[in-house]
Amino acid sequence: MRIVLALGGNALGDNLDAQMEAAKVAAVSIADLISMEHEVIVVHGNGPQVGMIETAFETAALVDHHFPVLPMSVCVALSQGYIGYDLQNVLRYEFDKRGIKKEVSTIITQVVVDPKDPAFENPSKPIGGFLSEEDALKIRAHGEVVEEDSGRGYRRMVASPLPLDIVEKETIRLLTEAGQVPIACGGGGIPVAMRDGQYHGMSAVIDKDRAAAKLAELIDAEMLIILTTVEKVSLSFGRPEERQVDRLTADEADVYMAEGHFGKGSMQPKIEAAIDFVRSGAGRTTLITKLTTAKEALDGKTGTILC
């Protein structure tokens, strides 16, 4: 199958050393899928990393006014480069160990959004590390949006518009058809909008699962795999009546989402992306599971399938 695999930014750690170690774990799962003779396109998140980049440049600008405060679109582009660099290297190493003859390349990917998307009026995408309530109040005092994130602490919030198109989709498709492994739409892609015949960056971060679903749709993938921190999707998560599910239809997922079964800052965006992809064409499915159980889930031994 042609598979778009969405790897969470939190799964890659929140510093350089942790990212390299986490990337090695990810490489094993990705190589497992390729060993099964699937075509794999890798999409990764950048929530902790893009926040770190933004904070670093903000801090530098306070020390020396010659340092720029970077637009969010540029922060996303930087995160694509350095996360892709780590993933390329660990994937090449894992491929060499297994005798897999595949090239890996990172595509600096632009994703088209609507500048009038309502998301720009309601920032909801968490970036950066978790904050204490005290630090959150200080940041709010400077006019930034900070919200509590699924009971795990406070995080900065930025706009998260819907992806409409992917500028480099044909490049990604051609690399896939040539037997290569593209790393694309990193951090959900660099958000851009057309103005005066040219793409311009937007101050936003696109949800990586939504971007992965759009990419999977545009390059005719048969499956979207969303890797997260849980092995299966649960209903009534965190409640006494919590139960895991093996299979959901898109219509069932709609009902459960309306009933509030999925956390808005955690599982709900993944379910929304899964539904989008399933409904984008006949025979398309989404698999949600943990990074370390991806191969077993693809064999039908675990994970949650949306169809």
Side-chain angles (χ1 to χ4, degrees):
M1 288 189 294
R2 179 170 295 177
I3 297 170
V4 172
L5 184 146
L7 177 66
N10 288 313
L12 291 171
D14 57 6
N15 61 61
L16 295 178
D17 290 338
Q19 178 173 298
M20 177 55 77
E21 291 306 310
K24 291 176 183 176
V25 176
V28 172
S29 292
I30 294 166
D32 284 344
L33 300 185
I34 290 169
S35 295
M36 298 166 73
E37 300 189 356
H38 298 300
E39 294 178 336
V40 178
I41 302 92
V42 180
V43 173
H44 62 80
N46 70 348
Q49 296 85 357
V50 77
M52 181 173 64
I53 291 168
E54 183 192 39
T55 300
F57 276 89
E58 283 181 352
T59 303
L62 291 173
V63 175
D64 185 339
H65 71 275
H66 290 100
F67 282 94
V69 175
L70 297 183
M72 186 57 66
S73 57
V74 177
C75 293
V76 174
L78 288 170
S79 74
Q80 286 189 358
Y82 96 81
I83 297 172
Y85 162 64
D86 276 351
L87 286 173
Q88 281 180 205
N89 282 328
V90 294
L91 279 170
R92 285 181 182 277
Y93 176 75
E94 190 65 29
F95 291 173
D96 286 345
K97 280 202 309 180
R98 302 186 188 208
I100 297 173
K101 304 299 182 183
K102 293 278 187 183
E103 293 296 324
V104 185
S105 54
T106 297
I107 310 303
I108 303 302
T109 316
Q110 302 173 93
V111 176
V112 180
V113 301
D114 183 352
K116 297 180 180 179
D117 190 305
F120 287 105
E121 303 299 322
N122 181 32
S124 61
K125 178 68 176 173
I127 65 166
F130 291 99
L131 304 165
S132 67
E133 186 172 6
E134 181 183 357
D135 288 338
L137 291 172
K138 289 178 183 177
I139 291 172
R140 277 181 181 159
H142 288 93
E144 295 193 52
V145 178
V146 182
E147 299 290 347
E148 196 271 335
D149 183 8
S150 302
R152 298 176 292 178
Y154 292 82
R155 295 178 78 183
R156 296 185 188 194
M157 297 288 177
V158 297
S160 183
L162 293 176
L164 303 179
D165 196 8
I166 295 170
V167 178
E168 292 78 17
K169 59 182 179 291
E170 290 307 316
T171 299
I172 298 163
R173 183 198 297 273
L174 289 170
L175 286 171
T176 304
E177 291 174 352
Q180 299 193 29
V181 180
I183 300 167
C185 293
I190 304 163
V192 297
M194 180 66 74
R195 187 174 69 248
D196 300 326
Q198 182 179 351
Y199 288 115
H200 293 267
M202 303 294 292
S203 182
V205 172
I206 300 165
D207 181 81
K208 71 99 178 34
D209 296 315
R210 291 275 201 178
K214 177 56 68 173
L215 175 62
E217 172 193 341
L218 294 174
I219 64 170
D220 302 311
E222 291 127 295
M223 178 174 279
L224 169 66
I225 299 180
I226 298 176
L227 299 178
T228 183
T229 56
V230 294
E231 196 167 323
K232 295 183 179 183
V233 173
S234 291
L235 302 179
S236 302
F237 183 73
R239 305 173 200 163
E241 66 273 22
E242 178 181 340
R243 65 182 177 90
Q244 294 180 326
V245 290
D246 299 323
R247 197 173 190 90
L248 286 171
T249 66
D251 288 346
E252 288 170 339
D254 270 336
V255 171
Y256 289 131
M257 188 160 52
E259 291 175 353
H261 285 273
F262 311 121
K264 289 187 177 180
S266 52
M267 186 56 72
Q268 182 168 316
K270 302 178 192 308
I271 296 295
E272 290 171 340
I275 292 170
D276 285 349
F277 177 63
V278 166
R279 287 179 172 159
S280 69
R284 294 176 172 177
T285 58
T286 301
L287 171 63
I288 300 177
T289 193
K290 287 174 67 173
L291 170 64
T292 52
T293 57
K295 183 176 183 296
E296 290 78 6
L298 202 56
D299 285 335
K301 297 175 182 176
T302 188
T304 300
I305 284 282
L306 276 89
C307 56

